[in-house]
Amino acid sequence: MNQPSKAPRGSAAKSKTKKKSRMELDQEARERKRLKKRRGLASGSRTQVESGSQKNKAAAAAKDPRIGSKVPVALVVDETNVKAKPQPKPKAEAKPRLSPEEELAKLENDERLNALLDRIDDGETLNAQEQAYVDKTLDRIDVLMDVLGIELGEDDDEEEEKQEDILKLLKGGNPKDAF
């Protein structure tokens, strides 16, 4: 069974700290309040010249932070320092517009178009760029032919088909069976 020891404890062995008087407590409270109120920058810091940056620039003159840029501005234009403005590029002269007849003749005699059309007739497939060129050129030829009032020679083929149909009817055949 454990018996309580009568040995003095650590806290009891130490001497007690002296209690502060009311005047001392008030003085400490005033000091804490004063320190608490003094937050932020010191008043007038804008007008004070910083000494830390001046140590690095010992040769530079003291600079007033209230004043703006000190870059010198030329009051007289020096012709030697004037930068030449890039002149606008002359616009490409407009190509003289061809008459519809001339443009149509030019497109019909186009070697690239003829070569591509021959390749199409041979069963080759064209890449996207070549196909776009062929489509654009053929569309332009159609527009020019409409402007000039030229019709394709397909009418002759239709008339021949009609005559063949008439001959088959006369012979007793059904023209729908021919297809």
Side-chain angles (χ1 to χ4, degrees):
M1 315 239 190
N2 291 339
Q3 292 187 4
S5 65
K6 301 285 182 182
R9 294 187 181 177
S11 60
K14 294 182 182 177
S15 64
K16 291 188 176 181
T17 57
K18 180 182 168 191
K19 276 190 165 181
K20 295 183 180 178
S21 67
R22 176 49 69 194
M23 281 181 52
E24 292 172 341
L25 290 173
D26 290 344
Q27 184 66 29
E28 287 179 9
R30 278 190 226 106
E31 185 67 24
R32 281 194 310 268
K33 184 176 180 182
R34 187 183 68 80
L35 290 174
K36 201 171 188 183
K37 284 176 85 173
R38 295 191 50 99
R39 294 184 185 213
L41 299 174
S43 62
S45 65
R46 181 177 68 125
T47 59
Q48 295 175 355
V49 179
E50 297 177 9
S51 61
S53 63
Q54 293 301 324
K55 289 178 184 177
N56 296 338
K57 301 177 183 178
K63 190 174 184 181
D64 191 353
R66 296 175 297 171
I67 298 176
S69 174
K70 293 285 188 173
V71 176
V73 176
L75 300 177
V76 179
V77 178
D78 292 334
E79 294 177 9
T80 58
N81 293 337
V82 174
K83 294 180 181 176
K85 293 182 181 178
Q87 295 180 356
K89 296 178 182 177
K91 293 182 180 178
E93 296 179 12
K95 295 179 181 177
R97 299 277 295 181
L98 298 175
S99 67
E101 297 89 5
E102 293 171 345
E103 188 176 356
L104 181 61
K106 180 181 172 189
L107 290 176
E108 286 177 345
N109 295 327
D110 187 6
E111 292 178 13
R112 180 179 176 199
L113 177 65
N114 290 335
L116 292 173
L117 289 175
D118 288 341
R119 285 176 53 190
I120 291 173
D121 289 341
D122 292 341
E124 292 183 36
T125 57
L126 304 177
N127 64 27
Q129 188 179 18
E130 292 171 339
Q131 187 64 43
Y133 176 76
V134 170
D135 292 341
K136 184 180 98 175
T137 308
L138 291 178
D139 290 343
R140 183 63 185 158
I141 289 173
D142 288 340
V143 169
L144 290 172
M145 289 178 75
D146 288 342
V147 168
L148 295 173
I150 300 173
E151 295 182 11
L152 295 176
E154 295 176 4
D155 293 337
D156 297 335
D157 294 336
E158 291 176 8
E159 289 177 12
E160 290 176 11
E161 289 178 14
K162 288 181 183 178
Q163 288 177 356
E164 290 176 8
D165 291 342
I166 292 172
L167 289 175
K168 287 184 181 179
L169 281 173
L170 293 175
K171 291 182 180 178
N174 191 351
K176 293 182 182 176
D177 292 338
F179 296 107

